[in-house]
Amino acid sequence: MIIGLTGGIGSGKSTVARAFAELGIGWVDADDVAREVVALGEPALTAIAEHFGTHVLNTDGTLNRSALRTIIFEDPQQRQWLESVTHPRVRERLFLHINRLKQHSPYVLLVSPLLFESGQDKLVDRTLVIDVPESLQLERTLARDGVSETQVRAILAAQLPREERLAKGDDVIDNSENHADMMRQVVKLDQHYRAICD
């Protein structure tokens, strides 16, 4: 069974995934895989540099994510072009990771901030939404990423509205309290998922 774990920026998706990992559950992060497919030497990086120009590359030839982010958040058409190049490659690579993890885990988590937006929810059996109020998302992201409030708000605007995400989720973890509270919810869901798998 594949569980799609999602939530808005700053909701604590990776923290929750690591909590499941402590219980022996394998997980793959779509963001990590998205970075893999645009790494040095990957065909997607070549296509991006040809399309946007070399100013989206660092001096060592790696992708300048900040420069690219600025372009795609200002121009939705450029974002669509980028997604058309990266999403199929990400999907293919995700399956490789998931199939490897399935061999050692009763179920697998696919962690993806854009699970519903990218259509990756069609790859999973159930969806788990990590939920926090938008004010907390903003606070956590500003503290963690060192980006401007304008950029965080642009990212929030590009993601599904909170109510819509919650409506689409099969399961929800409220991650607005402390670590112990989150862990209690993870343990309960883990037992539920294992029961479904049996």
Side-chain angles (χ1 to χ4, degrees):
M1 183 166 73
I2 305 170
I3 310 289
L5 186 157
T6 193
I9 188 169
S11 59
K13 294 177 294 296
S14 298
T15 304
V16 172
R18 284 192 290 271
F20 274 100
E22 285 174 32
L23 303 173
I25 302 306
W27 62 287
V28 59
D29 188 318
D31 274 358
D32 292 343
V33 174
R35 278 189 279 278
E36 267 178 39
V37 303
V38 294
L40 208 54
E42 289 282 345
L45 182 63
T46 307
I48 289 166
E50 284 171 2
H51 181 82
F52 292 107
T54 53
H55 65 278
V56 297
L57 299 179
N58 294 311
T59 50
D60 63 359
T62 58
L63 184 63
N64 181 331
R65 303 179 72 80
S66 172
L68 184 61
R69 192 181 300 128
T70 303
I71 296 168
I72 63 168
F73 276 116
E74 286 170 5
D75 187 341
Q77 282 185 311
Q78 295 292 5
R79 191 169 92 222
Q80 283 178 337
W81 180 87
L82 181 67
E83 289 171 354
S84 75
V85 168
T86 56
H87 283 186
R89 290 178 167 95
V90 168
R91 187 174 294 222
E92 192 180 306
R93 196 76 57 94
L94 280 172
F95 272 121
L96 290 174
H97 287 293
I98 287 167
N99 289 331
R100 179 180 48 80
L101 291 167
K102 272 181 175 175
Q103 296 165 20
H104 312 286
S105 185
Y107 60 91
V108 177
L109 299 177
L110 164 55
V111 180
S112 175
L114 300 174
L115 186 77
F116 299 117
E117 297 90 329
S118 67
Q120 288 174 350
D121 57 317
K122 292 176 183 59
L123 311 177
V124 305
D125 304 298
R126 285 184 77 82
T127 56
L128 167 58
V129 173
I130 312 308
D131 184 53
V132 298
E134 199 171 289
S135 58
L136 195 52
Q137 283 182 268
L138 195 61
E139 186 186 309
R140 286 178 179 175
T141 308
L142 288 170
R144 179 191 71 188
D145 292 355
V147 291
S148 70
E149 186 171 330
T150 310
Q151 259 194 323
V152 179
R153 289 200 184 279
I155 293 166
L156 283 168
Q159 296 182 334
L160 266 190
R162 182 183 177 199
E163 297 72 28
E164 222 174 302
R165 191 183 305 116
L166 284 167
K168 286 175 177 276
D170 295 309
D171 307 299
V172 177
I173 285 181
D174 174 356
N175 195 22
S176 57
E177 296 298 321
N178 55 33
H179 186 81
D181 180 65
M182 179 270 292
M183 199 69 208
R184 183 185 52 75
Q185 294 175 77
V186 167
V187 168
K188 192 175 171 186
L189 267 180
D190 175 59
Q191 290 166 348
H192 176 57
Y193 293 153
R194 286 174 190 263
I196 295 173
C197 292
D198 282 347

